[in-house]
Amino acid sequence: MKPKRMMLVALVLLVAGGTIWIGKHRAEKIEVRGSLSAEDLAGIKNAVRSELRREIFPDSSWSSVKASPTATLRWFQSQINVVSVLGNANTVQVGFGKSKEALDSFELIKGTNGWRINRDSWRFVPQVY
């Protein structure tokens, strides 16, 4: 790799890392619809944030490096707005976005290893809350 390109990659990764670190420390006001324990809510938040972080740097390609500032900003601006329990306490829908209205959502299922994204309904537009 050329020295200029290496410096650019290092700068992008430094900015992305700093933004992620700052973003982790922001406070979210989450509306919970239904009954969830604090432990379940923490597991849900971790699963959603982990999935959103994967979009920042999905692989080590140059296109991922170029797209990482935009993806980092999108992750930084996204906040979990609402968690709705669906039927039983083992399935929830999480609405998140830039504003109070949920712009996007995940459906999560509680399994033996904690909460995970339901791939069958990944990133569908949520119903009006």
Side-chain angles (χ1 to χ4, degrees):
M1 237 185 202
K2 296 180 181 179
K4 284 185 179 182
R5 188 174 276 187
M6 286 178 53
M7 291 293 289
L8 180 62
V9 169
L11 180 64
V12 166
L13 293 176
L14 181 64
V15 169
T19 304
I20 290 169
W21 183 82
I22 290 169
K24 259 187 104 127
H25 294 71
R26 67 184 172 186
E28 288 177 312
K29 293 182 181 180
I30 301 172
E31 178 185 350
V32 178
R33 296 181 180 159
S35 180
L36 283 176
S37 69
E39 183 180 300
D40 281 336
L41 186 58
I44 290 165
K45 289 180 354 184
N46 285 336
V48 170
R49 289 181 183 141
S50 176
E51 186 64 35
L52 292 175
R53 271 193 307 268
R54 278 185 218 165
E55 295 177 5
I56 293 174
F57 201 65
D59 55 35
S60 58
S61 69
W62 181 244
S63 62
S64 289
V65 172
K66 290 192 305 187
S68 66
T70 304
T72 302
L73 181 62
R74 187 173 48 249
W75 175 83
F76 183 68
Q77 291 175 339
S78 291
Q79 54 186 316
I80 298 171
N81 298 318
V82 63
V83 176
S84 298
V85 178
L86 304 176
N88 59 25
N90 292 328
T91 306
V92 297
Q93 183 175 6
V94 177
F96 59 93
K98 293 180 184 180
S99 65
K100 291 204 175 228
E101 282 80 42
L103 301 176
D104 217 339
S105 70
F106 289 133
E107 183 178 285
L108 283 81
I109 298 173
K110 186 176 183 180
T112 56
N113 295 330
W115 290 93
R116 64 177 175 81
I117 305 293
N118 182 2
R119 293 291 173 189
D120 294 335
S121 64
W122 190 76
R123 279 277 172 109
F124 62 94
V125 177
Q127 298 174 354
V128 175
Y129 290 111

